[in-house]
Amino acid sequence: MIPARKHRWFNAWFAAHARSRIHGAFGAVLARGVEAARALSAEAPLLLVANHSSWWDPLVVLHVSQHLLGADGYAMMNADNLRRLPFFALVGAFGVDLELPSDGTAAIRYAARLLDRPGRAVWIFAQGQERPSDERPLGFRAGAAQIARVARRARVLPVALRYEFAGEERPRLYLAIGEPVAAPLGPRETDAARVPEQAAAARVSRPASAPRDAEAVRAAQELAVTAELDRIHRAIGKAAGVEGLPLDVDGFRWIHRARPSLVGRAAERLLAHWTRPREPLTPRLPGGRRGDRS
């Protein structure tokens, strides 16, 4: 496992660079759930479990942590990629070889140690590799679930990312942060759930080392991220065909909107004027004969 070597000044500079790249590449950034996540970050460490669909994801995660959540962010990264791009370690990336069980165990413990105080955030791309955002099932690995089992103080938030071309030159970035994912009930809690007082007592009395069903936790996290991706899909459908971009689209508010190019718009209108026919066109058939205008 490769530990993070976070450097405060480099992190601030590179996060600003990431924001600049995002604002330059995307026509709009629309987000949902950012305010609630920021408030929760002040109360507890955050484990943010996200889908992984694009080269842009690490830059988006850095920008979201630094500028939208105001959190001290870290992220799990493929060890081979981190060796190729070592500067990501300076902004909080730690590397893990997904094919080595011992490496995975060390990374889980490392992530759990990071999640020891409010204001900290650890991002996990639970698919382990880039996959299309509309692929179902998402195919989450168990790493994020194992971290959630160990980092008992952390709140687990599902995050969905999607990049979408619409009726404009540049694509839109959609970000949805959902409600905290509740840990599935253990066998003892399931038996007690028939009586609310017993269920609450079971949660309180459960020792910190009590095991949880890792597969159930993994499935709950995957289901929560899938729900946020579906939410984005519905918002895209509602925004389709709407003139301009409303401030609020099904709970998504745009936090960045690129200004249209005045030069480009003027050039477009000028070309349209120059190429507009001055008189009705008469269709011609092959050979130069005039076509039937009826």
Side-chain angles (χ1 to χ4, degrees):
M1 195 212 82
I2 305 174
R5 299 179 289 116
K6 197 164 187 179
H7 188 283
R8 188 172 121 188
W9 297 110
F10 184 85
N11 181 81
W13 172 80
F14 198 71
H17 168 72
R19 176 173 56 189
S20 176
R21 292 284 301 273
I22 291 167
H23 287 183
F26 295 95
V29 178
L30 296 98
R32 183 185 186 280
V34 171
E35 294 83 0
R38 186 182 182 95
L40 188 60
S41 175
E43 302 173 2
L46 302 182
L47 175 61
L48 298 129
V49 184
N51 65 302
H52 191 15
S53 64
S54 170
W55 173 92
W56 281 100
D57 291 345
L59 295 183
V60 171
V61 161
L62 178 59
H63 169 48
V64 172
S65 293
Q66 184 79 2
H67 301 124
L68 301 185
L69 300 182
D72 181 18
Y74 294 80
M76 183 181 289
M77 188 173 181
N78 185 292
D80 290 338
N81 291 337
L82 189 55
R83 293 187 187 98
R84 184 169 56 88
L85 304 169
F87 54 85
F88 273 108
L90 301 181
V91 296
F94 56 96
V96 57
D97 189 331
L98 299 176
E99 305 306 320
L100 291 178
S102 59
D103 223 36
T105 301
I108 289 167
R109 292 174 178 168
Y110 182 79
R113 287 197 299 271
L114 290 173
L115 293 167
D116 64 348
R117 71 196 70 172
R120 279 273 179 88
V122 172
W123 292 79
I124 304 294
F125 295 114
Q127 291 164 296
Q129 59 182 334
E130 292 180 17
R131 303 299 306 165
S133 61
D134 59 353
E135 183 176 84
R136 300 292 185 273
L138 294 176
F140 276 13
R141 293 172 177 253
Q146 297 286 5
I147 295 171
R149 292 178 62 194
V150 179
R152 303 297 299 278
R153 296 181 60 190
R155 304 297 295 276
V156 182
L157 295 182
V159 181
L161 297 169
R162 179 165 168 174
Y163 309 86
E164 184 75 11
F165 277 95
E168 52 198 20
E169 180 181 357
R170 286 184 278 183
R172 296 173 183 173
L173 163 60
Y174 284 85
L175 163 73
I177 305 178
E179 298 294 327
V181 180
L185 296 176
R188 182 179 169 191
E189 293 169 331
T190 302
D191 294 339
R194 299 186 184 92
V195 181
E197 293 79 2
Q198 293 180 9
R203 289 190 180 91
V204 172
S205 64
R206 181 176 58 193
S209 60
R212 297 179 186 172
D213 185 349
E215 172 56 26
V217 175
R218 185 208 63 78
Q221 292 176 353
E222 181 171 332
L223 183 63
V225 175
T226 300
E228 295 306 314
L229 283 168
D230 292 343
R231 192 191 301 276
I232 292 175
H233 182 78
R234 291 193 298 271
I236 291 172
K238 291 183 179 181
V242 177
E243 185 68 22
L245 183 60
L247 177 61
D248 190 305
V249 182
D250 199 28
F252 288 84
R253 297 179 63 86
W254 55 269
I255 57 178
H256 163 70
R257 181 74 186 275
R259 295 180 179 179
S261 170
L262 297 180
V263 174
R265 180 175 293 182
E268 185 179 85
R269 291 178 177 175
L270 187 59
L271 285 172
H273 175 74
W274 282 348
T275 57
R276 186 173 294 114
R278 301 305 178 202
E279 58 184 24
L281 295 178
T282 301
R284 293 181 178 275
L285 298 175
R289 292 178 296 133
R290 293 181 180 273
D292 186 359
R293 301 176 68 180
S294 60

